Amino acid sequence: MTTAATDLPPPEPSRPVVLWRRFRRNRAALLGLFLFTLVVGMALTAGLIEPNDPLRRAGVPLTAPFANWDTPLGTDQLGRDILAMLFYGARISLLVGVVATLISIGIGIVIGALSGYFGGWVDDVLMRITEAFQTIPSFVLLLTLVAILGSKIEWIALAIGIVSWTAPARMVRAEFMALRNREFVDAARNLGVSNTAMIFKEIMPNAIPPIIVYASVVMALSILLESALAFLALGDPNYASWGNMIGQGRAVLRTAWYCAAIPGIAIVLTVLSFSLLGEGLNDALNPRQKK
């Protein structure tokens, strides 16, 4: 006598699988992921394009794109390989973006969490400090910090992070104010959980999704700010960056437009990739907010 197998429901997919399924429904987000992967690939393979120094002279100055296959994208007015500098510029953009984002989000989380959780005079003091930073235009403050700290790439990333923390702080504060009176917080408080554990173990995991989404915005903003500094000749001249390429290429814009146009296109596509990724992450992490 055979026994019929019991009908078991299929196992539920894990959370990462569910998030990926939501993410891939957004075709624009997939395009952003492709562009981001392309930029990361450029950064990782820069050493294969130019194993020595991307700032060295590689050919005749102002060689047009595709005129010489040793320098496929041409050379600038100093004879440097535009393709090599483009790949190394991806490293600088990602480095500045990641470091500045970590600094910005880190400061924003601490300030916003303390302000939103404790409220009262703590909230008043921290929000007045935040408002004081917001009264100064971000780029003006960035120029001041770079003038004080110097134009090394490390200081530039630090300065960008310092001028970008106010918006994440306000966002985290709003999330904490919405979550601090929820039932699971009251239950943890009744069990004697400390304030530190309450902030970082109970409330923070529930406030993470919008922070992750906003991090993509900060990444894009950081790349634009670094490029703007380099365009104004305030970047680090010891590194090949897209902003430096545009700033130097404007001197020959009428005769060799590609010197500025090629890195400009790279910046546009990179910033676009983070914007599309942020939209896709928002759809995946907050499906109810999708219009």
Side-chain angles (χ1 to χ4, degrees), residues 47-60:
L48 300 177
I49 301 297
E50 174 52 64
N52 298 315
D53 182 9
L55 299 179
R56 71 177 181 87
R57 178 167 176 167
V60 179

Side-chain angles (χ1 to χ4, degrees), residues 2 28 47 50 55 63 72 97-98 113 133 140 145 147 156 182 202 221 223 230 233 239 246 257-258 273 287:
T2 59
E50 174 52 64
L55 299 179
T63 301
V98 170
F133 270 85
V140 174
L145 290 175
I156 290 176
R182 297 284 293 273
E202 300 295 333
L221 178 62
I223 293 173
Y239 294 92
I246 296 175
W257 57 269
Y258 52 87
S273 72

Side-chain angles (χ1 to χ4, degrees), residues 7-18:
D7 294 332
L8 297 177
E12 295 184 0
S14 61
R15 180 170 174 77
V17 173
V18 174

Side-chain angles (χ1 to χ4, degrees), residues 90-157:
R91 286 186 176 182
I92 298 301
S93 293
L94 291 178
L95 172 65
V96 171
V98 170
V99 173
T101 300
L102 291 176
I103 294 172
S104 171
I105 297 297
I107 298 175
I109 285 177
V110 172
I111 299 295
L114 294 177
S115 179
Y117 178 76
F118 289 105
W121 68 268
V122 176
D123 182 34
D124 291 338
V125 170
L126 293 178
M127 285 300 101
R128 297 301 81 78
I129 295 174
T130 303
E131 290 171 359
F133 270 85
Q134 290 182 314
T135 58
I136 306 174
S138 297
F139 194 66
V140 174
L141 180 57
L142 178 60
L143 292 175
T144 304
L145 290 175
V146 171
I148 295 172
L149 299 174
S151 59
K152 287 188 176 181
I153 197 67
E154 298 88 352
W155 297 123
I156 290 176

